[in-house]
Amino acid sequence: MQALILVDIQNDFCSGGALAVPGGDEIIPVVNALQQKFKLVAATRDWHPPGHVSFASTHGRKPGEVITVNGVEQVLWPDHCVQHTWGAEFAPGLETTGIAREFTKGSDPHIDSYSGFFDNQRLRSTGLENFLRDRKVEKIYIAGLATNVCVMYTALDGVLLGFDTVVIEDACRGVELEPGDVDRALERMRAGKVRLYSSRELLK
Ligand code: VGL
Ligand code: ZN
């Protein structure tokens, strides 16, 4: 069994959002077309409480700064994907009727969660792994935002958990704090045994 996993395709990561990923909206038609090719589609949503540890404002800092919290490096972002707000909603235009289950992450005020499987301290799982195992999924295809953050960490965990893991490169967009961040993420994924596909290979 194969599953398509849609990572964080939310208003705040699209144009007009608090943490807009350049070109984020462009993936939506591609992702909608891809959904037609899968029997099983799951989605993650970044879902932070106000005052979340990943928000620069929580620490009186500027977005892009990196701090250490309880021994863990934390990149600081603008306030984004606050629970029950517009920014946390799925992006308009995203086909959501075919999404079998949604997994929220980042809801612990003190712990960030980039991967769709576990929080960054690996204390809690989101339930995505069991969801996939219960359905005998062996191969996962990942699309969404942002390539070098939540997509990458979800994909690397997918490999570690033993899933044959594909990232559909053109169905993702990245957010660069430093130029080259996306290329480095692609390299890290390749090195981590993630397969990089183009949507063309799946849509024909
Ligand atoms: C993400 C930064 C902060 C993502 C989430 O979904 O890639 N990036 N929180
Ligand atoms: Zn976040």
Side-chain angles (χ1 to χ4, degrees):
M1 180 73 164
Q2 306 193 333
L4 176 65
I5 301 172
L6 308 180
V7 173
D8 298 5
I9 308 180
Q10 293 165 269
N11 283 327
D12 269 342
F13 298 121
C14 293
S15 64
L19 180 31
V21 175
D25 311 52
E26 293 164 14
I27 70 166
I28 291 168
V30 181
V31 166
N32 286 344
L34 284 166
Q35 289 193 63
Q36 306 304 314
K37 301 281 180 182
F38 287 84
K39 284 203 211 81
L40 186 61
V41 182
T44 66
R45 273 209 280 171
D46 215 27
W47 190 247
H48 299 311
H52 189 250
V53 67
S54 73
F55 298 170
S57 65
T58 300
H59 309 278
R61 302 287 191 116
K62 289 204 194 67
E65 290 184 34
V66 181
I67 62 168
T68 304
V69 186
N70 300 321
V72 180
E73 254 196 16
Q74 177 67 56
V75 178
L76 299 178
W77 304 99
D79 291 24
H80 65 280
C81 298
V82 175
Q83 296 171 2
H84 308 291
T85 66
W86 173 86
E89 289 172 15
F90 284 124
L94 178 69
E95 188 56 66
T96 57
T97 51
I99 297 173
R101 184 89 54 93
E102 191 191 307
F103 298 88
T104 54
K105 60 187 184 63
S107 43
D108 184 319
H110 306 292
I111 308 179
D112 208 0
S113 188
Y114 290 157
S115 161
F117 289 102
F118 307 103
D119 63 70
N120 292 5
Q121 294 190 30
R122 303 181 97 72
L123 295 177
R124 269 203 279 173
S125 82
T126 59
L128 176 59
E129 179 189 1
N130 284 341
F131 172 85
L132 297 171
R133 297 219 192 278
D134 287 347
R135 287 159 186 78
K136 310 275 182 259
V137 173
E138 283 160 358
K139 186 164 184 176
I140 58 173
Y141 292 77
I142 301 172
L145 306 169
T147 311
N148 53 314
V149 191
C150 293
V151 167
M152 180 180 77
Y153 285 101
T154 301
L156 292 174
D157 275 347
V159 173
L160 287 179
L161 292 170
F163 295 105
D164 186 1
T165 304
V166 173
V167 163
I168 309 164
E169 206 179 319
D170 59 310
C172 300
R173 289 291 186 281
V175 59
E176 306 215 326
L177 295 173
E178 310 266 354
D181 279 350
V182 171
D183 281 345
R184 279 188 289 274
L186 294 173
E187 206 32 66
R188 205 170 144 186
M189 287 193 277
R190 267 189 214 105
K193 303 275 183 280
V194 175
R195 302 161 190 267
L196 300 174
Y197 283 19
S198 148
S199 64
R200 263 184 303 120
E201 299 165 58
L202 300 168
L203 292 174
K204 61 193 172 196

